[in-house]
Amino acid sequence: MKKIILGLASAALVISMASCGGSQKANPNADKALSDSISILGGESMGYEIAQQWKQFVERQDSADRAKFNKADFMRGFKAAITTDTTNQSFVIGFNVGLNAWNFAQRQNQSIAQIDINTFLKAFEKAFTADSVDQAQASKVNSEFQQLNMRIQQIQMQKAQEAKANSPEAIANKNAGEKYLNEVKAKDAAIQTSETGLSYKIENEGTGDKVQKSDRVKIKYTGKLVDGTEFDKSSDEGITLPASNFVPGFTEGLMLLGKGGKATLYIPADLAYGVDGIPQAGIGPMSTLVFDVEVLDINPEPAK
């Protein structure tokens, strides 16, 4: 949402630049030959540059939408802008600010809260044409606007997460994880489940104090999906990281062990990578993970 706010704020820059320039009058002493050259070369240079950008822009569109973008329509818009009466500075400023507002509306209309142009125009005109600016009211409205943007963003993120959770792949993975956990727990009474939902089987609790979240741990581990696919494995020498650097279920499992401790952790998706998964590692949405882990050391001395 910051981009939207900054987009509207850039209107102030447009006004500042226009007011500094004042009405632009032609220089009666301009050199005709140089004027012709700068007109031709400037137009061609910009034309070639924009042509390349236009091509890239159109190619980024969905194939079904590409026909909506053509150079004839572009040229109509370009000519309307470049031939605008620049002696009417108020119109030019309003035109540029209007383009900023148009960009804001187009971006906003891709979200769950769309802009009704007529309603927007009435609200803008009411604030802009007031005899004076009530700073307290302006500050209040701006604060409410930013809070609303944050709320919209939160709702969109929540809906996106819900959509991911309800995808066929996520549902299949969640069901497979639950089925797997029910089966292994039915076969092995030594598997326990914590209040958070982490299931675990401790082979050896280890010695001394248990791992704390603030500790650095040296561990060996192998990570698998419920179908047995291995997605990660440490070296035989192990790795040393803060205990808090792992997914919540893994950290919770480490805190059950002391030095030398070994366990198998059965981590449900909500204590692992959730609806996002890690596609590049082969972990799909709502995947249950199984880790065999061994604590080699707690807060080991740094290697010299």
Side-chain angles (χ1 to χ4, degrees), residues 146-196:
Q146 294 189 45
Q147 290 175 17
L148 178 60
N149 276 324
M150 288 190 289
R151 182 182 165 210
I152 289 170
Q153 192 173 40
Q154 289 169 352
I155 293 173
Q156 287 188 155
M157 290 176 62
Q158 181 180 348
K159 286 184 176 294
Q161 293 295 92
E162 290 174 354
K164 290 178 182 179
N166 291 321
S167 70
E169 183 183 7
I171 292 173
N173 287 339
K174 182 179 180 181
N175 290 340
E178 291 175 349
K179 181 175 182 290
Y180 174 85
L181 285 175
N182 288 335
E183 289 176 350
V184 295
K185 287 195 286 187
K187 294 176 181 177
D188 192 342
I191 298 175
Q192 305 176 63
T193 302
S194 73
E195 292 182 358
T196 66

Side-chain angles (χ1 to χ4, degrees), residues 95-304:
F95 185 83
N96 279 285
V97 174
L99 286 177
N100 274 288
W102 180 85
N103 282 320
F104 159 64
Q106 293 303 306
R107 289 193 298 268
Q108 189 64 46
N109 286 347
Q110 297 174 20
S111 76
I112 61 168
Q114 299 192 344
I115 295 293
D116 177 81
I117 295 299
N118 289 329
T119 302
F120 180 88
L121 277 172
K122 288 178 182 178
F124 179 91
E125 187 171 13
K126 175 186 175 184
F128 180 71
T129 60
D131 292 335
S132 62
V133 177
D134 183 335
Q135 293 294 342
Q137 177 65 10
S139 178
K140 176 176 178 291
V141 169
N142 185 57
S143 176
E144 290 177 352
F145 175 63
Q146 294 189 45
Q147 290 175 17
L148 178 60
N149 276 324
M150 288 190 289
R151 182 182 165 210
I152 289 170
Q153 192 173 40
Q154 289 169 352
I155 293 173
Q156 287 188 155
M157 290 176 62
Q158 181 180 348
K159 286 184 176 294
Q161 293 295 92
E162 290 174 354
K164 290 178 182 179
N166 291 321
S167 70
E169 183 183 7
I171 292 173
N173 287 339
K174 182 179 180 181
N175 290 340
E178 291 175 349
K179 181 175 182 290
Y180 174 85
L181 285 175
N182 288 335
E183 289 176 350
V184 295
K185 287 195 286 187
K187 294 176 181 177
D188 192 342
I191 298 175
Q192 305 176 63
T193 302
S194 73
E195 292 182 358
T196 66
L198 171 71
S199 293
Y200 57 91
K201 179 180 179 179
I202 296 178
E203 180 182 332
N204 176 7
E205 289 189 357
T207 60
D209 294 335
K210 300 290 193 294
V211 172
Q212 300 297 307
K213 191 176 288 188
S214 57
D215 290 334
R216 288 180 62 81
V217 289
K218 185 175 183 180
I219 59 172
K220 284 201 314 183
Y221 68 85
T222 301
K224 298 179 181 179
L225 302 177
V226 296
D227 65 2
T229 300
E230 184 178 297
F231 62 84
D232 194 12
K233 184 175 185 178
S234 68
S235 66
D236 289 339
E237 292 76 23
I239 62 169
T240 301
L241 287 170
S244 59
N245 269 31
F246 305 97
V247 295
F250 195 96
T251 297
E252 181 183 347
L254 287 176
M255 294 171 67
L256 301 171
L257 305 173
K259 183 177 180 179
K262 292 183 179 182
T264 299
L265 309 177
Y266 305 89
I267 307 177
D270 57 351
L271 295 177
Y273 296 107
V275 298
D276 294 316
I278 304 184
Q280 61 270 30
I283 301 174
M286 298 305 292
S287 291
T288 295
L289 309 181
V290 181
F291 280 96
D292 291 315
V293 59
E294 178 181 358
V295 177
L296 301 177
D297 202 355
I298 302 173
N299 295 318
E301 291 293 329
K304 295 182 180 180

